[in-house]
Amino acid sequence: GRIMMPPAYLIFGPAATGKSTFASQAPGVRFIATVSVDKSGTNEFDVPRLFLHDCQRVVIQKVPQCKSPCGWLRLQKSIAYWTADAECKTIALDHLGGIQKILMSHLIATDPKGLKAMNVIHGGYGKAWDMANAEVANLLNWLDLARDAGKEVLILAHSSIKRVRDPEIDSWEQHQIDVHEKIVGPIHQWLDLAMYANLDRATIEENGQRKAFSTGERVLHTQMPRSMAFFAKDRFGLPEKIDLSYRAFRDAYERRPTIESLRAEIDAIIDKMPTEWKGDKGEVVVRTGIRDHVAKLTSVHALLKMRPRIEARLEKIEEDKKAAAEEAALDTKHPKVGAKLPEPKSEQPKKDVKE
């Protein structure tokens, strides 16, 4: 059967878009501030938090029962501390860029030769980043223990524009999470949701040209757009765009589609298809075969990927049917050159009728 786990989700975007405000609205939220107190985005919120960095200027709540100067160990202890807190419902890590700096400092401090650069420590040749990748896997294990205890996990991050290279198509620029690929890679795979936060945009046509402008509304994007302008991931089938508030997100999450509802939607689409038809390569496609294939899918994520494919197949069938009908009507009105015309009916001579 299905295993229901508290969601693990990430919100990234430009600075000052409201990411920390969103996190502060979560029920029972407990922050882990991975940056110094003077750079934290949570200072104005009356929420429990732990700081991983010391500060001599103000009194801050540091990690209990952890005197180690190692920020990476403090991070582990902080997650364990909030996991054991019965009033904690959501653990918010603010932010992923700070976690990367803490991890880099940890790896540099443990280099046997005392070197100070990521490209040369621990033997060089990228070995330090491979070690970072393994440490991130440990971090995700710590967070999974928190989820096992019923805590939601929310990670905040900044965005940056990076160039994406794809061997099948031209490269393009995309808003992505602003950390090293060795760190963000395993996090991508682990997350249930990765949402891009920014000001909403609209377009107008002026002097024959389309121009984009900001509406001023702050929104969360849950789906990667066709333009692939930003990264996003969604395993729950949420709306493509949600207001940047925890209440709006929670409402969408509670109304997320289930396996049963998705199968019912897909079955309704399949019912509109003919019993059989010819595919793109001339092969015979049977409707029952598609239905049997859908019945084998056992996850919401798989059904969400299948639904647009079946919708596109139905649209193609209807377009081909319409094109065939138009071609048949055209052939009737204007026969093709060389086509055999129907012979006119010969009229039989009328016989004289004797009165």
Side-chain angles (χ1 to χ4, degrees):
R2 286 179 290 170
I3 300 176
M4 302 301 294
M5 296 260 310
Y9 52 108
L10 178 145
I11 298 175
F12 74 105
T17 52
K19 301 182 294 295
S20 298
T21 302
F22 174 98
S24 69
Q25 298 167 353
V29 65
R30 301 292 186 267
F31 276 89
I32 298 176
T34 64
V35 294
S36 58
V37 66
D38 55 340
K39 296 181 180 179
S40 174
T42 67
N43 292 342
E44 299 300 321
F45 306 128
D46 185 16
V47 292
R49 63 177 70 81
L50 296 175
F51 282 93
L52 303 184
H53 293 271
D54 293 325
C55 183
Q56 303 298 327
R57 294 182 291 104
V58 295
V59 177
I60 61 175
Q61 184 177 1
K62 294 184 290 186
V63 185
Q65 302 175 352
C66 183
K67 297 181 180 181
S68 171
C70 174
W72 193 245
L73 179 59
R74 288 185 178 188
L75 176 59
Q76 179 184 2
K77 295 292 185 180
S78 297
I79 295 172
Y81 179 77
W82 288 137
T83 299
D85 184 355
E87 296 183 358
C88 173
K89 305 300 180 184
T90 304
I91 297 177
L93 300 177
D94 186 20
H95 55 82
L96 190 56
I99 292 177
Q100 175 175 269
K101 291 181 180 179
I102 290 172
L103 178 52
M104 290 170 61
S105 298
H106 168 64
L107 294 174
I108 290 173
T110 56
D111 180 63
K113 295 183 179 181
L115 301 177
K116 300 298 181 181
M118 285 292 289
N119 61 334
V120 295
I121 61 174
H122 297 286
Y125 300 101
K127 291 181 180 179
W129 288 114
D130 291 337
M131 294 175 66
N133 184 273
E135 290 291 349
V136 170
N138 291 331
L139 169 64
L140 299 181
N141 288 334
W142 305 337
L143 294 175
D144 275 335
L145 291 176
R147 296 175 70 194
D148 290 340
K151 321 295 184 183
E152 293 185 7
V153 175
L154 169 58
I155 303 174
L156 306 180
H158 290 140
S159 65
S160 64
I161 299 176
K162 300 180 181 180
R163 180 158 291 277
V164 181
R165 292 177 174 83
D166 191 315
E168 297 183 357
I169 57 178
D170 294 334
S171 61
W172 71 95
E173 291 185 338
Q174 185 182 67
H175 294 282
Q176 294 188 1
I177 302 169
D178 189 20
V179 292
H180 194 276
E181 59 183 9
K182 286 288 187 177
I183 290 179
V184 79
I187 295 176
H188 276 174
Q189 299 175 13
W190 175 76
L191 287 169
D192 296 317
L193 282 165
M195 299 177 285
Y196 177 62
N198 204 352
L199 297 176
D200 196 15
R201 290 175 172 81
T203 58
I204 57 173
E205 189 166 341
E206 187 176 306
N207 299 327
Q209 295 182 343
R210 298 186 66 83
K211 296 183 178 181
F213 66 96
S214 173
T215 65
E217 299 293 330
R218 302 183 183 196
V219 296
L220 284 172
H221 298 275
T222 66
Q223 310 287 334
M224 192 180 301
R226 290 186 177 181
S227 63
M228 295 187 287
F230 51 81
F231 169 78
K233 176 184 178 181
D234 175 19
R235 286 180 176 169
F236 299 125
L238 303 185
E240 294 184 6
K241 190 184 299 183
I242 306 172
D243 290 341
L244 184 53
S245 72
Y246 185 84
R247 176 175 294 182
F249 162 75
R250 198 69 198 183
D251 288 345
Y253 177 77
E254 295 296 339
R255 297 195 306 267
R256 67 192 184 278
T258 63
I259 291 179
E260 292 75 16
S261 64
L262 285 171
R263 280 182 175 164
E265 291 178 14
I266 293 175
D267 282 341
I269 299 172
I270 295 175
D271 288 340
K272 298 178 182 179
M273 295 178 173
T275 305
E276 62 179 41
W277 65 93
K278 287 189 176 182
D280 297 334
K281 299 180 181 180
E283 75 280 11
V284 177
V285 182
V286 183
R287 183 174 63 183
T288 54
I290 296 181
R291 200 184 300 275
D292 292 341
H293 178 70
V294 172
K296 296 177 182 179
L297 303 179
T298 58
S299 69
V300 170
H301 183 60
L303 290 168
L304 286 171
K305 291 177 64 177
M306 178 58 64
R307 182 174 58 183
R309 293 173 57 187
I310 294 180
E311 289 174 339
R313 176 65 68 94
L314 176 60
E315 185 178 350
K316 180 69 165 55
I317 292 172
E318 292 176 344
E319 289 177 354
D320 291 345
K321 183 178 179 180
K322 183 179 178 181
E326 291 176 351
E327 185 177 354
L330 187 63
D331 289 345
T332 303
K333 292 182 179 180
H334 305 286
K336 297 179 181 179
V337 177
K340 187 176 181 181
L341 298 176
E343 296 181 358
K345 295 181 179 180
S346 58
E347 296 184 0
Q348 298 293 334
K350 296 182 179 179
K351 297 182 178 180
D352 295 334
V353 179
K354 295 181 180 179
E355 293 183 0

